[in-house]
Amino acid sequence: MASIAHMEADMLDIEPNKLPDPPAARLLRLKEVQHRVGLGRSTIYRWMDDGKFPRPHS
């Protein structure tokens, strides 16, 4: 069975050991999180308190 890297390489038509680097991780501001998940600020904070939503990083 082919590895994931080989399958991705086939789809991208590149060599398996030369896959592009993933995009750099970045922190999102609350407004962008709200837009992406479709929730209001108070719901996000309530879910964080309930352990249903990830806590912010600093």
Side-chain angles (χ1 to χ4, degrees), residues 20-50:
D21 292 330
R26 66 182 181 93
L27 298 178
L28 305 176
R29 298 213 176 259
L30 180 59
K31 288 286 187 183
E32 188 172 352
V33 173
Q34 287 177 269
H35 178 75
R36 287 182 178 213
V37 300
L39 298 172
R41 184 178 75 79
S42 59
T43 302
I44 292 172
Y45 283 120
R46 186 175 349 105
W47 284 14
M48 281 192 277
D49 289 341
D50 294 343

Side-chain angles (χ1 to χ4, degrees), residues 7-28:
M7 289 188 291
E8 289 176 350
D10 288 342
M11 292 186 323
L12 298 173
D13 195 29
I14 59 175
E15 295 180 41
N17 294 330
K18 295 188 179 183
L19 291 174
D21 292 330
R26 66 182 181 93
L27 298 178
L28 305 176

